[in-house]
Amino acid sequence: PTRQRRPRIFLDLGCGEGRTLVAAAASGLFDQLCGIELLPGHVETARLLLLDILPQQQPEAAGGEVRQG
């Protein structure tokens, strides 16, 4: 029987401006990225950084997201 691989998920609590999320995305090791941040300004900066690295689609559609928590 074939065994399905579980998705590799990177979760960054307190992701700040998303620099660690960008590094994780660039590594290609993860299927999904999720960053959670309290400060609205940092959330917006992180979203913009993810858009730079995932320019073809919205970060959420490409397996990456940043949420205000």
Side-chain angles (χ1 to χ4, degrees):
T2 59
R3 191 172 168 194
Q4 287 187 320
R5 180 180 66 80
R6 290 185 182 185
R8 292 171 289 187
I9 301 169
F10 184 87
L11 175 61
D12 188 1
L13 299 175
C15 68
E17 295 181 342
R19 290 184 182 98
T20 302
L21 287 171
V22 169
S27 77
L29 296 174
F30 301 97
D31 300 309
Q32 295 178 345
L33 306 166
C34 181
I36 299 177
E37 176 56 51
L38 292 175
L39 300 174
H42 286 351
V43 171
E44 187 57 30
T45 300
R47 283 187 179 140
L48 292 173
L49 284 172
L50 278 179
L51 281 173
D52 282 346
I53 201 163
L54 306 170
Q56 284 75 15
Q57 49 193 316
Q58 292 295 322
E60 291 82 4
E65 66 180 306
V66 179
R67 295 184 182 181
Q68 186 173 354

